[in-house]
Amino acid sequence: QVQLVESGGGFVQPGGSLRLSCVVSGLIFSAESMTWYRQAPGDGLDKRRFIAGISGAGDYTKYADSVKGRFTISRDNAKNTVYLQMDNLEPDDTGVYYCIAAHYVDGRFFPRAGYEGQGTPVTVSS
């Protein structure tokens, strides 16, 4: 049974930091590319936006333009865990963050339907 469990979300003031974690089981984790997506308040699941992705070996990463230089995706294959370090947070970063397994092809990440967690909420507000 495949399980992805996110944690680390919360409430933070602008300029603050959070570190999200996603523990994965039921997959050969090191073979899976992993991504983080954000669902903004009021948007449906189909409107989730790509935030960051990392290849199985961790040697390739990609970020949405809006988070470049502020967010860092990483992984620990020994712990079956992917992380998203979020620094200098802004109100527009508010939303529910989902960890989703993905295929990585020609420099692009394609999320795998059904291979996602329940999400962890992040609120950035003063």
Side-chain angles (χ1 to χ4, degrees):
Q1 182 182 359
V2 177
Q3 280 193 312
L4 295 86
V5 181
E6 302 99 332
S7 62
F11 182 93
V12 64
Q13 292 186 335
S17 297
L18 285 173
R19 188 194 196 203
L20 307 184
S21 300
C22 174
V23 180
V24 181
S25 59
L27 295 172
I28 302 175
F29 183 68
S30 60
E32 297 288 334
S33 292
M34 298 300 301
T35 59
W36 288 95
Y37 278 74
R38 180 176 68 223
Q39 179 185 13
D43 285 352
L45 288 175
D46 60 332
K47 295 290 198 298
R48 288 181 292 189
R49 294 189 175 189
F50 172 84
I51 298 300
I54 187 167
S55 59
D59 53 350
Y60 180 79
T61 58
K62 186 174 183 178
Y63 298 91
D65 288 343
S66 61
V67 307
K68 281 181 182 176
R70 300 188 298 120
F71 289 12
T72 303
I73 188 171
S74 63
R75 64 191 297 157
D76 185 338
N77 286 350
K79 295 182 178 180
N80 282 15
T81 303
V82 60
Y83 304 97
L84 185 67
Q85 177 66 41
M86 306 188 295
D87 298 318
N88 195 19
L89 281 158
E90 302 170 354
D92 283 348
D93 297 321
T94 294
V96 179
Y97 284 73
Y98 293 86
C99 165
I100 306 178
H103 296 295
Y104 171 59
V105 180
D106 292 335
R108 294 183 62 188
F109 292 95
F110 298 89
R112 299 179 66 185
Y115 286 73
E116 61 185 74
Q118 80 290 348
T120 185
V122 171
T123 302
V124 184
S125 176
S126 55

